Amino acid sequence: MIVYEMKLQGTKSQYRRLDEAIRTGRFVRNSIIKSWMDGQIKSRKDAYSYCKVLSDSPEFPWVSKLNSMARQAQAERAWASIERFYRNCRQKLPGKKGFPKFKKYQVRASVEYKTSGWKLSEDKRYLTFSDKFQAGTFKLWGSRNLHFYQLKQIKRVRVIRRHDGYYAQFVIDHTREEKKELTGKQTGLDVGLNYFYTDCSGTQIENPRFLRKDEGKIKKLQRRLSRTQKGSQNRKKARNRLGRAHLKVSRRRNDWVCKLAQHVIQSNDLVAIENLRIRNMLKNHKLAKSISDAAWYRFREWLEYFGRIYGVPVIAVEPAYTSVDCSNCGEQVVKTLSTRTHRCQHCGYVADRDKNAAINILKSALHKLSNTVGQTEINASGEIDLCLSGETSLSKSTLRKRKPKQ
C-alpha cells in the first residue's frame, strides 16, 4: 500500500460540511466506545451492527448523513483501540494498558471513506463527495499523479483537517519496488544528540534541530495565544498561527529525515541500527525535548520503508553495551556520557565514542544474520523465506527462494 496526499481547494461552506462529517465520525466512534463500556458490544461484528443502530435512531438524524462505509471505518478505529487494550492486558505490560478514551475536539482530525461516498473526475484532478452532507467537488492540489493507477486500486480516501487546510489521502493498493546497484558497503548507525548519527566509517551528520531553531518564534506565538480571551475570534486566529508554526517544523523535520534515510539505503547493501526504546528515553525530562526533535524513530521508519523498496536489509540490534565494548578487542571500557572519546586500556585502541558504537552495532547485526543461515520456513504462498529473529526489516525480494521441486 502507498499513500498519496493532496490538498483540497473549496469554499468555506464546503469546509463547514467537511467539519460536520468529521464531527459525525467522531460521534460514531465515541458511541461505540460507550456501548462497549456498557457491555452492549463484545466483538467487531457488534461494532459494525451498532453503526446501523445509530443511523436508524431518530435521536441522531445526522448520523445517517455520513456514508455507511465511513461509519464502518470509525467502528474499525474504535475496535482497534479496544483490541489494543485487551492485548496489553494479556501481555501484562507494566503501567497503563491504554484503556480506550473518548475523542475530544481537536483541529487535527479525519474521516475515512472506503470504496463509496466519493468520486474522481476523468482527469483525476477533482474529488467529489456524494454522501448526504453534500460537500461537493474539490480541486486537488499536489505533485502526485493519480493517472498511473486504476480506480479499483484506490481502497480508501481519508479527509484530514489540519491548521493550514484540508487534505485528501488516497490509499492505493500498489507495491513499490526500485532497482539498486550493489555498492559492496555495509554500515552501522549510532544515533545521538550532538550529531544526528555516526556511521562505522566515522562519518558524522549534523543534527539540524528544527524545533530549537524556531523555538523563539513558537514561544512568542504561545504568549500571544495565552493573552487572548477564550472563545473569541482572536484566540482562534492565534491558535491557528501557532499550529502552522508547529506544522512547519514537523514537515521540515520529516522531509529531511526522509531524504537522509533514502540516501543511506541507496549507498549501502546492509544497514544496522539500534532498537531504541524511545518512549522510555523520553522519561528523562532533561533530554525529552532534544530526543523528540531528533526524530530517531521516524528515521528508523523511513529506513525500514526504503529498505523494503530497494531490497536492502535493515537489522535492529539491542543497544546494550554497544558504547562500552571495545570494537577492536571486545573488552569493556566503562565511561560516562560526557566522555566522547573511546580509549581502550587493554589494546590501546582510540576512536570516537559514537564510531566505536557504530562498529559494534554492525558486528552485532552481522552476527545475528550469520546465526540465521539455514533456518527457513514455508510461508502461506508456498515459498521459503529465511527467518531472522528479533526486529528486522529484510525484504522478501532479497531473501526469497523458489520452492523446491517435490
Side-chain angles (χ1 to χ4, degrees):
M1 292 290 183
I2 60 174
V3 180
Y4 282 173
E5 182 175 294
M6 298 183 181
K7 192 169 185 178
L8 297 175
Q9 180 185 10
T11 61
K12 292 184 178 180
S13 60
Q14 289 180 301
Y15 295 148
R16 284 195 296 268
R17 296 188 182 103
L18 288 182
D19 289 337
E20 294 176 3
I22 294 174
R23 184 167 60 251
T24 303
R26 185 175 67 250
F27 172 79
V28 171
R29 180 196 177 278
N30 291 342
S31 299
I32 293 175
I33 295 294
K34 181 64 168 60
S35 299
W36 169 75
M37 293 179 179
D38 297 338
Q40 301 177 12
I41 295 178
K42 298 181 179 180
S43 64
R44 184 185 295 268
K45 184 178 180 180
D46 294 342
Y48 287 147
S49 301
Y50 195 74
C51 294
K52 180 65 174 175
V53 174
L54 289 175
S55 62
D56 295 340
S57 175
E59 299 180 10
F60 317 115
W62 63 86
V63 177
S64 60
K65 293 183 178 181
L66 188 64
N67 181 265
S68 60
M69 287 192 173
R71 296 195 297 265
Q72 292 177 7
Q74 295 296 329
E76 292 175 359
R77 294 183 180 184
W79 190 252
S81 63
I82 296 172
E83 283 185 334
R84 183 173 59 251
F85 170 68
Y86 284 150
R87 183 172 59 254
N88 293 340
C89 291
R90 287 194 300 267
Q91 296 176 356
K92 297 181 179 180
L93 296 180
K96 296 182 179 180
K97 305 300 187 293
F99 189 84
K101 297 181 180 179
F102 298 119
K103 287 285 186 180
K104 298 185 292 186
Y105 171 82
Q106 53 185 359
V107 176
R108 191 188 185 283
S110 64
V111 63
E112 193 172 68
Y113 297 85
K114 294 186 180 179
T115 56
S116 64
W118 57 273
K119 182 180 180 182
L120 275 175
S121 60
E122 293 183 1
D123 58 356
K124 296 183 180 179
R125 276 298 181 183
Y126 293 88
L127 178 64
T128 303
F129 295 99
S130 57
D131 56 359
K132 295 182 181 179
F133 285 108
Q134 298 179 353
T137 303
F138 295 84
K139 187 175 181 179
L140 298 175
W141 285 91
S143 59
R144 301 297 185 180
N145 196 343
L146 298 175
H147 283 284
F148 298 103
Y149 310 100
Q150 302 295 329
L151 285 177
K152 61 181 180 180
Q153 291 182 271
I154 302 178
K155 300 302 180 182
R156 299 200 177 199
V157 175
R158 188 180 300 119
V159 180
I160 300 178
R161 178 180 61 199
R162 295 196 180 100
H163 284 278
D164 63 339
Y166 295 77
Y167 294 82
Q169 287 185 349
F170 298 89
V171 182
I172 303 173
D173 185 9
H174 176 74
T175 302
R176 180 183 172 187
E177 292 183 358
E178 300 288 345
K179 294 182 179 180
K180 173 185 173 298
E181 298 294 334
L182 295 177
T183 61
K185 297 180 181 179
Q186 301 171 346
T187 186
L189 304 180
D190 179 68
V191 295
L193 296 178
N194 292 335
Y195 294 95
F196 184 77
Y197 76 72
T198 303
D199 61 15
C200 55
S201 63
T203 304
Q204 295 178 327
I205 301 298
E206 294 289 338
N207 192 352
R209 296 183 176 89
F210 294 108
L211 179 60
R212 294 291 185 180
K213 291 180 180 178
D214 292 353
E215 193 172 13
K217 177 182 177 181
I218 290 176
K219 287 183 177 180
K220 184 177 180 180
L221 293 175
Q222 287 175 338
R223 289 194 297 268
R224 290 183 178 179
L225 175 63
S226 64
R227 287 195 292 265
T228 57
Q229 185 178 0
K230 292 185 178 181
S232 63
Q233 291 296 325
N234 287 334
R235 188 174 184 84
K236 293 181 180 180
K237 294 178 182 178
R239 184 177 58 189
N240 184 267
R241 285 192 292 266
L242 178 61
R244 285 171 180 261
H246 279 289
L247 194 61
K248 182 178 179 181
V249 172
S250 175
R251 285 173 173 169
R252 289 168 58 199
R253 181 192 298 123
N254 183 64
D255 180 70
W256 183 82
V257 169
C258 174
K259 293 176 179 178
L260 181 62
Q262 187 176 16
H263 172 72
V264 171
I265 293 297
Q266 290 178 339
S267 304
N268 299 278
D269 298 334
L270 184 143
V271 179
I273 56 177
E274 289 180 299
N275 184 23
L276 298 175
R277 276 74 172 179
I278 307 297
R279 181 175 297 181
N280 295 338
M281 299 175 68
L282 292 177
K283 295 179 181 179
N284 185 346
H285 298 290
K286 295 182 179 180
L287 300 177
K289 182 184 292 187
S290 299
I291 293 174
S292 299
D293 193 19
W296 293 338
Y297 188 76
R298 190 61 174 163
F299 178 63
R300 175 180 172 176
E301 285 183 333
W302 280 116
L303 281 177
E304 294 177 345
Y305 171 73
F306 287 116
R308 289 191 296 268
I309 291 176
Y310 291 96
V312 176
V314 178
I315 305 177
V317 300
E318 292 302 320
Y321 303 108
T322 55
S323 298
V324 177
D325 294 343
C326 178
S327 59
N328 189 38
C329 64
E331 297 292 336
Q332 291 189 357
V333 180
V334 180
K335 43 187 173 291
T336 62
L337 188 61
S338 59
T339 305
R340 307 312 304 172
T341 303
H342 171 81
R343 301 179 185 274
C344 183
Q345 302 172 358
H346 304 276
C347 64
Y349 179 69
V350 179
D352 183 80
R353 174 198 181 103
D354 296 336
K355 179 182 177 181
N356 177 74
I359 296 175
N360 288 329
I361 292 170
L362 179 60
K363 287 183 177 181
S364 299
L366 294 176
H367 179 70
K368 178 186 289 188
L369 190 62
S370 64
N371 290 339
T372 60
V373 176
Q375 301 180 15
T376 59
E377 68 175 2
I378 300 178
N379 56 25
S381 61
E383 295 172 328
I384 298 178
D385 292 341
L386 290 178
C387 302
L388 193 61
S389 59
E391 295 187 21
T392 60
S393 180
L394 295 178
S395 63
K396 291 184 178 180
S397 60
T398 304
L399 301 180
R400 182 172 294 170
K401 297 181 180 179
R402 292 187 178 181
K403 183 180 179 181
K405 295 182 179 180
Q406 301 293 335

